[in-house]
Amino acid sequence: MYLCAMATVVVGLSGGVDSSVAAALLKEQGHNVIGLFMKNWHDEAVTISNECPWEEDSNDALLVANHLGIPFQTIDLSEEYKERIVDYMFAEYEAGRTPNPDVLCNREIKFDVFLKAALSIGADYVATGHYCRKSSFINQDGEKIHQLLAGKDPNKDQSYFLCQLNQEQLSRAIFPIGEMLKPEVRVEAERFGLHTFNKKDSQGLCFVGKIKLPDFLKQKLQAKTGKVYEFEPNYKGFEKSEELETLAENYEFDSQFGKELGEHQGAHFYTIGQRKGLGIGGTELPLFVLGTNTKKNEIYVGQGESHPGLMKKALRISKSDIHWVRPDLSINVGEEKTFSIRIRYRQPLQHGTLMHKKDAYYILFDKAQRGVTPGQFAAWYDGEELIGSGVIA
């Protein structure tokens, strides 16, 4: 994305190749670029080894800034990150829901706390290394409308992670690599002489580092031994009427109708659709988590990825959890509209209808969806544009 005039742009330098190239492109275009590294987590009580991945990333970000000749500083947002992301995440898992920390991190940290910090030092915009695009136009009322568009790289499109951004946040956002494919980004990094050109993409929690989610949760949530029950496809609880509200309800399980298979170390460590980590073998088909009950500390599983307990035709979103990236395209009570929808990152877009009822919003899919998970985000698109999102109830 090219800006019409020279601007002061703060780039969230993460130490990876994507944000490095974003900074280099903006500098090449003649903008006043400042590199800012976000230090969001340094709780020594939650580690998997003696390594300090954020220090390595911070050093890489500093090297990039020095190479490009741009100012660089580190900002400590660990207090806000713990309060807004980590504490919320633990509470959701304890309640048997599955939050998406990456979506929350963008809404609460990168484009809120970080954005405000950037503006306070004179920035006009904030730039990140996200694979997505932004466009803007003036509507009939003379208002400037910002559009969040999918990235050109179909394998790296990260618009889903930004599904909770609002118009004000978008107005200050720049995504310099959104028009590029990942291999092109690495070529550009090499052209600019950036040492990050062959650095592997980061894994793990957003800004926590290389620690894996199960390890992270187990050091904050207590392990509690409970039972695992298998449910056959003909379980009565999977039978539903064709009423929208009923189709959107989560399945309820009664352990007396299940077959006890073994034990687990805490229902709050598992999520719907999960296959790995159960530690139970001997079944004809792979086992998948169909549901959890954190109050009873029980896990319910079924065999095979097409098990009816994994499939749902509809989902519900509370009115308080609905969000419109494009408020001008929101629908009123009694209205409905067809969209392309995804309920997790990298899922191919699915065709469905968003309906605004008196009590809540509902999405009715053309085809039943696998692993609809409470706490995750559903995002809806019109073509390449992400229109809105909501937390699955």
Side-chain angles (χ1 to χ4, degrees):
M1 176 182 178
Y2 288 85
L3 303 176
C4 296
M6 189 183 82
T8 296
V9 185
V10 166
V11 179
L13 280 180
S14 66
V17 63
D18 299 327
S19 62
S20 300
V21 171
L25 289 171
L26 290 167
K27 177 74 184 299
E28 186 178 56
Q29 293 167 23
H31 299 295
N32 178 29
V33 180
I34 301 170
L36 212 55
F37 178 83
M38 286 174 268
K39 180 181 178 183
N40 287 347
W41 188 256
H42 51 81
D43 185 349
E44 295 179 358
V46 183
T47 57
I48 51 174
S49 69
N50 292 325
E51 65 183 41
C52 296
W54 71 264
E55 289 185 358
E56 177 187 330
D57 291 337
S58 177
N59 289 335
D60 282 336
L62 175 59
L63 289 172
V64 167
N66 287 341
H67 179 76
L68 296 176
I70 63 175
F72 174 82
Q73 59 181 287
T74 295
I75 181 171
D76 190 339
L77 302 178
S78 54
E79 185 176 336
E80 294 88 345
Y81 187 85
K82 180 183 183 301
E83 178 184 332
R84 298 196 189 193
I85 310 300
V86 177
D87 290 348
Y88 173 82
M89 188 170 68
F90 287 139
E92 285 288 273
Y93 273 102
E94 274 194 303
R97 293 159 59 87
T98 307
N100 190 309
D102 293 290
V103 173
L104 294 172
C105 185
N106 285 311
R107 183 186 76 189
E108 300 290 333
I109 303 299
K110 285 184 188 175
F111 292 95
D112 187 7
V113 182
F114 180 78
L115 173 59
K116 290 173 181 174
L119 295 176
S120 72
I121 61 173
D124 299 305
Y125 300 95
V126 160
T128 67
H130 282 105
Y131 286 84
C132 61
R133 296 170 294 146
K134 186 184 88 171
S135 183
S136 305
F137 68 92
I138 305 297
N139 67 10
Q140 294 179 342
D141 298 323
E143 300 172 320
K144 193 169 189 178
I145 303 296
H146 303 283
Q147 299 171 288
L148 177 61
L149 307 174
K152 280 294 185 182
D153 190 331
N155 295 316
K156 294 293 292 183
D157 169 37
Q158 293 174 312
S159 58
Y160 174 82
F161 289 139
L162 303 176
C163 68
Q164 288 277 293
L165 296 195
N166 58 38
Q167 285 289 301
E168 177 60 28
Q169 291 168 321
L170 272 178
S171 73
R172 297 289 190 171
I174 305 175
F175 309 111
I177 65 170
E179 297 283 351
M180 303 170 68
L181 304 180
K182 182 71 177 195
E184 294 173 336
V185 170
R186 293 198 181 278
V187 169
E188 285 292 274
E190 199 164 9
R191 176 174 75 86
F192 284 116
L194 300 172
H195 77 286
T196 55
F197 78 93
N198 63 351
K199 186 176 180 179
K200 292 182 179 180
D201 290 345
S202 61
Q203 302 292 327
L205 296 180
C206 174
F207 286 110
V208 171
K210 300 172 184 177
I211 187 169
K212 295 179 180 178
L213 181 59
D215 297 319
F216 190 74
L217 292 175
K218 285 176 182 177
Q219 294 186 59
K220 285 291 185 179
L221 300 179
Q222 283 190 336
K224 296 187 295 182
T225 302
K227 302 293 185 182
V228 178
Y229 297 94
E230 180 186 357
F231 283 79
E232 298 293 334
N234 60 0
Y235 173 57
K236 292 291 185 181
F238 301 140
E239 298 176 3
K240 289 191 174 185
S241 70
E242 290 301 310
E243 293 182 1
L244 177 64
E245 291 80 2
T246 304
L247 289 174
E249 290 177 353
N250 296 314
Y251 294 118
E252 294 187 2
F253 297 88
D254 188 337
S255 57
Q256 67 175 320
F257 297 107
K259 174 186 175 183
E260 186 177 326
L261 285 188
E263 294 183 337
H264 61 82
Q265 294 304 307
H268 42 261
F269 297 137
Y270 296 85
T271 186
I272 293 173
Q274 181 174 336
R275 174 181 173 182
K276 296 181 180 179
L278 287 168
I280 298 174
T283 55
E284 182 179 351
L285 298 173
L287 290 173
F288 291 85
V289 175
L290 308 179
T292 64
N293 187 320
T294 54
K295 291 183 179 179
K296 294 183 178 180
N297 197 29
E298 295 176 344
I299 293 177
Y300 315 113
V301 300
Q303 292 188 41
E305 58 184 3
S306 60
H307 193 288
L310 277 178
M311 313 300 291
K312 283 183 66 179
K313 191 76 182 296
L315 61 83
R316 180 180 181 275
I317 299 172
S318 299
K319 290 196 174 187
S320 60
D321 288 328
I322 206 78
H323 173 77
W324 294 94
V325 179
R326 288 283 304 276
D328 57 312
L329 297 180
S330 63
I331 59 176
N332 298 316
V333 175
E335 294 181 339
E336 61 182 55
K337 188 174 182 181
T338 58
F339 288 104
S340 297
I341 303 158
R342 60 168 48 107
I343 57 174
R344 66 181 67 88
Y345 175 54
R346 298 182 72 89
Q347 181 198 27
L349 289 168
Q350 307 292 307
H351 197 265
T353 303
L354 178 67
M355 305 176 184
H356 189 174
K357 302 293 185 180
K358 285 184 178 180
D359 65 320
Y361 288 82
Y362 292 86
I363 291 177
L364 179 65
F365 292 98
D366 290 7
K367 297 180 180 179
Q369 298 297 303
R370 178 179 173 276
V372 177
T373 308
Q376 290 282 286
F377 289 88
W380 42 94
Y381 294 72
D382 182 359
E384 291 186 307
E385 183 180 3
L386 199 159
I387 304 299
S389 65
V391 183
I392 300 171

mmCIF file of all heavy atoms in Angstrom, residues 132-167:
data_model
loop_
_atom_site.group_PDB
_atom_site.id
_atom_site.type_symbol
_atom_site.label_atom_id
_atom_site.label_comp_id
_atom_site.label_asym_id
_atom_site.label_seq_id
_atom_site.Cartn_x
_atom_site.Cartn_y
_atom_site.Cartn_z
ATOM 1 N N CYS A 132 -2.653 -9.060 4.683
ATOM 2 C CA CYS A 132 -4.011 -8.604 4.386
ATOM 3 C C CYS A 132 -3.881 -7.231 3.746
ATOM 4 O O CYS A 132 -2.785 -6.667 3.667
ATOM 5 C CB CYS A 132 -4.872 -8.551 5.640
ATOM 6 S SG CYS A 132 -4.260 -7.416 6.888
ATOM 7 N N ARG A 133 -5.006 -6.688 3.274
ATOM 8 C CA ARG A 133 -4.964 -5.414 2.566
ATOM 9 C C ARG A 133 -6.047 -4.477 3.094
ATOM 10 O O ARG A 133 -7.007 -4.922 3.718
ATOM 11 C CB ARG A 133 -5.169 -5.634 1.065
ATOM 12 C CG ARG A 133 -4.061 -6.441 0.390
ATOM 13 C CD ARG A 133 -4.455 -6.816 -1.024
ATOM 14 N NE ARG A 133 -5.583 -7.737 -1.021
ATOM 15 C CZ ARG A 133 -6.544 -7.749 -1.951
ATOM 16 N NH1 ARG A 133 -6.524 -6.877 -2.943
ATOM 17 N NH2 ARG A 133 -7.516 -8.633 -1.882
ATOM 18 N N LYS A 134 -5.856 -3.212 2.826
ATOM 19 C CA LYS A 134 -6.855 -2.206 3.191
ATOM 20 C C LYS A 134 -7.147 -1.334 1.992
ATOM 21 O O LYS A 134 -6.245 -0.992 1.225
ATOM 22 C CB LYS A 134 -6.335 -1.338 4.344
ATOM 23 C CG LYS A 134 -7.368 -0.363 4.892
ATOM 24 C CD LYS A 134 -6.770 0.546 5.955
ATOM 25 C CE LYS A 134 -6.161 1.782 5.365
ATOM 26 N NZ LYS A 134 -5.751 2.776 6.371
ATOM 27 N N SER A 135 -8.420 -1.001 1.842
ATOM 28 C CA SER A 135 -8.825 -0.068 0.806
ATOM 29 C C SER A 135 -9.781 0.930 1.443
ATOM 30 O O SER A 135 -10.371 0.654 2.487
ATOM 31 C CB SER A 135 -9.503 -0.806 -0.354
ATOM 32 O OG SER A 135 -9.835 0.102 -1.389
ATOM 33 N N SER A 136 -9.940 2.082 0.826
ATOM 34 C CA SER A 136 -10.827 3.113 1.375
ATOM 35 C C SER A 136 -11.596 3.796 0.253
ATOM 36 O O SER A 136 -11.127 3.864 -0.890
ATOM 37 C CB SER A 136 -10.018 4.160 2.155
ATOM 38 O OG SER A 136 -9.226 3.561 3.162
ATOM 39 N N PHE A 137 -12.782 4.291 0.586
ATOM 40 C CA PHE A 137 -13.575 5.050 -0.384
ATOM 41 C C PHE A 137 -14.469 6.033 0.365
ATOM 42 O O PHE A 137 -14.674 5.915 1.573
ATOM 43 C CB PHE A 137 -14.417 4.114 -1.265
ATOM 44 C CG PHE A 137 -15.518 3.394 -0.532
ATOM 45 C CD1 PHE A 137 -16.802 3.932 -0.462
ATOM 46 C CD2 PHE A 137 -15.281 2.166 0.096
ATOM 47 C CE1 PHE A 137 -17.820 3.279 0.210
ATOM 48 C CE2 PHE A 137 -16.298 1.507 0.773
ATOM 49 C CZ PHE A 137 -17.574 2.064 0.836
ATOM 50 N N ILE A 138 -15.002 7.008 -0.346
ATOM 51 C CA ILE A 138 -15.917 7.993 0.214
ATOM 52 C C ILE A 138 -17.338 7.596 -0.164
ATOM 53 O O ILE A 138 -17.641 7.428 -1.351
ATOM 54 C CB ILE A 138 -15.608 9.416 -0.299
ATOM 55 C CG1 ILE A 138 -14.144 9.781 -0.029
ATOM 56 C CG2 ILE A 138 -16.551 10.425 0.346
ATOM 57 C CD1 ILE A 138 -13.772 9.830 1.429
ATOM 58 N N ASN A 139 -18.198 7.433 0.830
ATOM 59 C CA ASN A 139 -19.575 7.031 0.528
ATOM 60 C C ASN A 139 -20.432 8.236 0.139
ATOM 61 O O ASN A 139 -19.947 9.372 0.064
ATOM 62 C CB ASN A 139 -20.194 6.267 1.714
ATOM 63 C CG ASN A 139 -20.398 7.145 2.946
ATOM 64 O OD1 ASN A 139 -20.263 8.359 2.908
ATOM 65 N ND2 ASN A 139 -20.738 6.501 4.062
ATOM 66 N N GLN A 140 -21.731 7.988 -0.088
ATOM 67 C CA GLN A 140 -22.629 9.040 -0.566
ATOM 68 C C GLN A 140 -22.809 10.162 0.449
ATOM 69 O O GLN A 140 -23.187 11.280 0.085
ATOM 70 C CB GLN A 140 -23.991 8.434 -0.915
ATOM 71 C CG GLN A 140 -23.951 7.473 -2.109
ATOM 72 C CD GLN A 140 -25.308 6.871 -2.412
ATOM 73 O OE1 GLN A 140 -26.205 6.886 -1.575
ATOM 74 N NE2 GLN A 140 -25.456 6.345 -3.618
ATOM 75 N N ASP A 141 -22.559 9.866 1.719
ATOM 76 C CA ASP A 141 -22.695 10.883 2.764
ATOM 77 C C ASP A 141 -21.392 11.641 3.016
ATOM 78 O O ASP A 141 -21.302 12.445 3.952
ATOM 79 C CB ASP A 141 -23.158 10.233 4.074
ATOM 80 C CG ASP A 141 -24.521 9.579 3.939
ATOM 81 O OD1 ASP A 141 -25.374 10.156 3.223
ATOM 82 O OD2 ASP A 141 -24.724 8.508 4.536
ATOM 83 N N GLY A 142 -20.384 11.358 2.195
ATOM 84 C CA GLY A 142 -19.111 12.046 2.342
ATOM 85 C C GLY A 142 -18.217 11.464 3.421
ATOM 86 O O GLY A 142 -17.203 12.066 3.775
ATOM 87 N N GLU A 143 -18.584 10.289 3.937
ATOM 88 C CA GLU A 143 -17.782 9.637 4.982
ATOM 89 C C GLU A 143 -16.742 8.716 4.349
ATOM 90 O O GLU A 143 -17.025 8.051 3.338
ATOM 91 C CB GLU A 143 -18.680 8.820 5.910
ATOM 92 C CG GLU A 143 -19.740 9.624 6.627
ATOM 93 C CD GLU A 143 -20.718 8.744 7.374
ATOM 94 O OE1 GLU A 143 -21.102 7.679 6.835
ATOM 95 O OE2 GLU A 143 -21.094 9.112 8.497
ATOM 96 N N LYS A 144 -15.564 8.664 4.962
ATOM 97 C CA LYS A 144 -14.521 7.762 4.472
ATOM 98 C C LYS A 144 -14.724 6.386 5.091
ATOM 99 O O LYS A 144 -14.761 6.248 6.311
ATOM 100 C CB LYS A 144 -13.142 8.304 4.815
ATOM 101 C CG LYS A 144 -12.012 7.589 4.068
ATOM 102 C CD LYS A 144 -10.697 8.329 4.217
ATOM 103 C CE LYS A 144 -9.627 7.740 3.297
ATOM 104 N NZ LYS A 144 -8.341 8.475 3.381
ATOM 105 N N ILE A 145 -14.856 5.401 4.252
ATOM 106 C CA ILE A 145 -15.085 4.021 4.686
ATOM 107 C C ILE A 145 -13.836 3.203 4.389
ATOM 108 O O ILE A 145 -13.295 3.247 3.281
ATOM 109 C CB ILE A 145 -16.296 3.400 3.974
ATOM 110 C CG1 ILE A 145 -17.552 4.234 4.197
ATOM 111 C CG2 ILE A 145 -16.495 1.957 4.440
ATOM 112 C CD1 ILE A 145 -18.011 4.303 5.625
ATOM 113 N N HIS A 146 -13.379 2.453 5.392
ATOM 114 C CA HIS A 146 -12.188 1.613 5.225
ATOM 115 C C HIS A 146 -12.600 0.147 5.100
ATOM 116 O O HIS A 146 -13.460 -0.329 5.844
ATOM 117 C CB HIS A 146 -11.241 1.791 6.412
ATOM 118 C CG HIS A 146 -10.836 3.218 6.621
ATOM 119 N ND1 HIS A 146 -9.899 3.843 5.832
ATOM 120 C CD2 HIS A 146 -11.260 4.148 7.521
ATOM 121 C CE1 HIS A 146 -9.748 5.092 6.236
ATOM 122 N NE2 HIS A 146 -10.564 5.300 7.255
ATOM 123 N N GLN A 147 -11.982 -0.531 4.165
ATOM 124 C CA GLN A 147 -12.287 -1.945 3.903
ATOM 125 C C GLN A 147 -11.100 -2.824 4.282
ATOM 126 O O GLN A 147 -9.956 -2.514 3.934
ATOM 127 C CB GLN A 147 -12.612 -2.153 2.418
ATOM 128 C CG GLN A 147 -13.811 -1.370 1.921
ATOM 129 C CD GLN A 147 -13.937 -1.453 0.413
ATOM 130 O OE1 GLN A 147 -13.161 -0.854 -0.335
ATOM 131 N NE2 GLN A 147 -14.919 -2.210 -0.055
ATOM 132 N N LEU A 148 -11.378 -3.910 4.978
ATOM 133 C CA LEU A 148 -10.363 -4.914 5.310
ATOM 134 C C LEU A 148 -10.476 -6.040 4.303
ATOM 135 O O LEU A 148 -11.508 -6.714 4.229
ATOM 136 C CB LEU A 148 -10.579 -5.441 6.729
ATOM 137 C CG LEU A 148 -9.636 -6.555 7.192
ATOM 138 C CD1 LEU A 148 -8.184 -6.081 7.196
ATOM 139 C CD2 LEU A 148 -10.039 -7.054 8.577
ATOM 140 N N LEU A 149 -9.420 -6.225 3.508
ATOM 141 C CA LEU A 149 -9.441 -7.198 2.425
ATOM 142 C C LEU A 149 -8.465 -8.345 2.688
ATOM 143 O O LEU A 149 -7.441 -8.166 3.360
ATOM 144 C CB LEU A 149 -9.073 -6.525 1.096
ATOM 145 C CG LEU A 149 -9.878 -5.277 0.717
ATOM 146 C CD1 LEU A 149 -9.299 -4.645 -0.548
ATOM 147 C CD2 LEU A 149 -11.346 -5.615 0.526
ATOM 148 N N ALA A 150 -8.790 -9.496 2.139
ATOM 149 C CA ALA A 150 -7.920 -10.664 2.265
ATOM 150 C C ALA A 150 -6.570 -10.390 1.607
ATOM 151 O O ALA A 150 -6.484 -9.640 0.626
ATOM 152 C CB ALA A 150 -8.576 -11.880 1.627
ATOM 153 N N GLY A 151 -5.518 -11.001 2.127
ATOM 154 C CA GLY A 151 -4.200 -10.896 1.519
ATOM 155 C C GLY A 151 -4.164 -11.611 0.185
ATOM 156 O O GLY A 151 -4.936 -12.541 -0.066
ATOM 157 N N LYS A 152 -3.268 -11.168 -0.704
ATOM 158 C CA LYS A 152 -3.164 -11.777 -2.035
ATOM 159 C C LYS A 152 -2.677 -13.224 -1.983
ATOM 160 O O LYS A 152 -2.988 -14.019 -2.856
ATOM 161 C CB LYS A 152 -2.226 -10.949 -2.911
ATOM 162 C CG LYS A 152 -2.861 -9.721 -3.507
ATOM 163 C CD LYS A 152 -3.959 -10.077 -4.502
ATOM 164 C CE LYS A 152 -4.503 -8.837 -5.198
ATOM 165 N NZ LYS A 152 -5.609 -9.175 -6.122
ATOM 166 N N ASP A 153 -1.899 -13.562 -0.949
ATOM 167 C CA ASP A 153 -1.391 -14.932 -0.814
ATOM 168 C C ASP A 153 -2.469 -15.795 -0.167
ATOM 169 O O ASP A 153 -2.747 -15.654 1.024
ATOM 170 C CB ASP A 153 -0.127 -14.949 0.043
ATOM 171 C CG ASP A 153 0.586 -16.299 0.007
ATOM 172 O OD1 ASP A 153 -0.097 -17.332 -0.187
ATOM 173 O OD2 ASP A 153 1.816 -16.326 0.181
ATOM 174 N N PRO A 154 -3.097 -16.700 -0.922
ATOM 175 C CA PRO A 154 -4.183 -17.505 -0.365
ATOM 176 C C PRO A 154 -3.730 -18.437 0.751
ATOM 177 O O PRO A 154 -4.529 -18.855 1.589
ATOM 178 C CB PRO A 154 -4.700 -18.299 -1.573
ATOM 179 C CG PRO A 154 -3.536 -18.350 -2.515
ATOM 180 C CD PRO A 154 -2.808 -17.056 -2.317
ATOM 181 N N ASN A 155 -2.447 -18.762 0.779
ATOM 182 C CA ASN A 155 -1.914 -19.643 1.815
ATOM 183 C C ASN A 155 -1.538 -18.898 3.091
ATOM 184 O O ASN A 155 -1.285 -19.518 4.123
ATOM 185 C CB ASN A 155 -0.685 -20.397 1.287
ATOM 186 C CG ASN A 155 -1.027 -21.330 0.153
ATOM 187 O OD1 ASN A 155 -2.011 -22.049 0.203
ATOM 188 N ND2 ASN A 155 -0.219 -21.298 -0.905
ATOM 189 N N LYS A 156 -1.484 -17.570 3.027
ATOM 190 C CA LYS A 156 -1.041 -16.793 4.179
ATOM 191 C C LYS A 156 -2.049 -15.727 4.615
ATOM 192 O O LYS A 156 -1.769 -14.982 5.566
ATOM 193 C CB LYS A 156 0.295 -16.104 3.874
ATOM 194 C CG LYS A 156 1.469 -17.050 3.662
ATOM 195 C CD LYS A 156 1.844 -17.776 4.941
ATOM 196 C CE LYS A 156 2.413 -16.835 5.971
ATOM 197 N NZ LYS A 156 2.848 -17.543 7.201
ATOM 198 N N ASP A 157 -3.184 -15.637 3.939
ATOM 199 C CA ASP A 157 -4.163 -14.600 4.269
ATOM 200 C C ASP A 157 -4.448 -14.579 5.765
ATOM 201 O O ASP A 157 -4.847 -15.567 6.354
ATOM 202 C CB ASP A 157 -5.460 -14.861 3.488
ATOM 203 C CG ASP A 157 -6.603 -13.982 3.969
ATOM 204 O OD1 ASP A 157 -6.337 -12.818 4.315
ATOM 205 O OD2 ASP A 157 -7.735 -14.479 4.016
ATOM 206 N N GLN A 158 -4.227 -13.409 6.403
ATOM 207 C CA GLN A 158 -4.404 -13.277 7.848
ATOM 208 C C GLN A 158 -5.531 -12.310 8.223
ATOM 209 O O GLN A 158 -5.613 -11.854 9.353
ATOM 210 C CB GLN A 158 -3.091 -12.809 8.484
ATOM 211 C CG GLN A 158 -1.971 -13.839 8.388
ATOM 212 C CD GLN A 158 -0.647 -13.301 8.898
ATOM 213 O OE1 GLN A 158 -0.239 -12.205 8.543
ATOM 214 N NE2 GLN A 158 0.024 -14.067 9.740
ATOM 215 N N SER A 159 -6.409 -12.030 7.280
ATOM 216 C CA SER A 159 -7.509 -11.106 7.563
ATOM 217 C C SER A 159 -8.372 -11.609 8.716
ATOM 218 O O SER A 159 -8.904 -10.809 9.498
ATOM 219 C CB SER A 159 -8.359 -10.892 6.307
ATOM 220 O OG SER A 159 -8.871 -12.125 5.813
ATOM 221 N N TYR A 160 -8.512 -12.926 8.852
ATOM 222 C CA TYR A 160 -9.320 -13.498 9.939
ATOM 223 C C TYR A 160 -8.835 -13.017 11.302
ATOM 224 O O TYR A 160 -9.636 -12.734 12.192
ATOM 225 C CB TYR A 160 -9.262 -15.025 9.862
ATOM 226 C CG TYR A 160 -9.943 -15.746 11.013
ATOM 227 C CD1 TYR A 160 -11.317 -15.956 11.025
ATOM 228 C CD2 TYR A 160 -9.199 -16.213 12.098
ATOM 229 C CE1 TYR A 160 -11.939 -16.611 12.076
ATOM 230 C CE2 TYR A 160 -9.812 -16.869 13.156
ATOM 231 C CZ TYR A 160 -11.179 -17.072 13.140
ATOM 232 O OH TYR A 160 -11.789 -17.718 14.189
ATOM 233 N N PHE A 161 -7.513 -12.911 11.474
ATOM 234 C CA PHE A 161 -6.950 -12.493 12.756
ATOM 235 C C PHE A 161 -7.263 -11.022 13.073
ATOM 236 O O PHE A 161 -7.101 -10.578 14.207
ATOM 237 C CB PHE A 161 -5.439 -12.698 12.782
ATOM 238 C CG PHE A 161 -5.023 -14.142 12.841
ATOM 239 C CD1 PHE A 161 -3.950 -14.599 12.090
ATOM 240 C CD2 PHE A 161 -5.699 -15.043 13.636
ATOM 241 C CE1 PHE A 161 -3.561 -15.936 12.145
ATOM 242 C CE2 PHE A 161 -5.325 -16.380 13.703
ATOM 243 C CZ PHE A 161 -4.254 -16.821 12.953
ATOM 244 N N LEU A 162 -7.702 -10.271 12.055
ATOM 245 C CA LEU A 162 -8.016 -8.854 12.240
ATOM 246 C C LEU A 162 -9.526 -8.608 12.214
ATOM 247 O O LEU A 162 -9.969 -7.462 12.069
ATOM 248 C CB LEU A 162 -7.332 -8.024 11.151
ATOM 249 C CG LEU A 162 -5.810 -8.172 11.063
ATOM 250 C CD1 LEU A 162 -5.269 -7.384 9.884
ATOM 251 C CD2 LEU A 162 -5.147 -7.707 12.343
ATOM 252 N N CYS A 163 -10.306 -9.666 12.390
ATOM 253 C CA CYS A 163 -11.757 -9.587 12.202
ATOM 254 C C CYS A 163 -12.469 -8.746 13.251
ATOM 255 O O CYS A 163 -13.662 -8.458 13.107
ATOM 256 C CB CYS A 163 -12.367 -10.989 12.166
ATOM 257 S SG CYS A 163 -12.300 -11.885 13.753
ATOM 258 N N GLN A 164 -11.757 -8.313 14.310
ATOM 259 C CA GLN A 164 -12.379 -7.504 15.350
ATOM 260 C C GLN A 164 -11.966 -6.028 15.288
ATOM 261 O O GLN A 164 -12.310 -5.250 16.172
ATOM 262 C CB GLN A 164 -12.033 -8.076 16.731
ATOM 263 C CG GLN A 164 -12.732 -9.388 17.052
ATOM 264 C CD GLN A 164 -14.139 -9.164 17.579
ATOM 265 O OE1 GLN A 164 -14.334 -8.632 18.662
ATOM 266 N NE2 GLN A 164 -15.133 -9.579 16.806
ATOM 267 N N LEU A 165 -11.253 -5.641 14.238
ATOM 268 C CA LEU A 165 -10.849 -4.251 14.117
ATOM 269 C C LEU A 165 -12.045 -3.369 13.758
ATOM 270 O O LEU A 165 -12.988 -3.812 13.106
ATOM 271 C CB LEU A 165 -9.760 -4.088 13.061
ATOM 272 C CG LEU A 165 -8.417 -4.770 13.312
ATOM 273 C CD1 LEU A 165 -7.362 -4.218 12.370
ATOM 274 C CD2 LEU A 165 -7.967 -4.625 14.755
ATOM 275 N N ASN A 166 -11.975 -2.104 14.173
ATOM 276 C CA ASN A 166 -13.045 -1.168 13.835
ATOM 277 C C ASN A 166 -12.534 -0.133 12.832
ATOM 278 O O ASN A 166 -11.367 -0.133 12.438
ATOM 279 C CB ASN A 166 -13.599 -0.494 15.096
ATOM 280 C CG ASN A 166 -12.531 0.257 15.887
ATOM 281 O OD1 ASN A 166 -11.636 0.876 15.323
ATOM 282 N ND2 ASN A 166 -12.625 0.201 17.216
ATOM 283 N N GLN A 167 -13.415 0.762 12.418
ATOM 284 C CA GLN A 167 -13.068 1.746 11.399
ATOM 285 C C GLN A 167 -11.953 2.690 11.853
ATOM 286 O O GLN A 167 -11.064 3.042 11.074
ATOM 287 C CB GLN A 167 -14.314 2.548 11.020
ATOM 288 C CG GLN A 167 -15.298 1.782 10.148
ATOM 289 C CD GLN A 167 -14.783 1.568 8.736
ATOM 290 O OE1 GLN A 167 -14.495 2.516 8.010
ATOM 291 N NE2 GLN A 167 -14.661 0.307 8.345
#
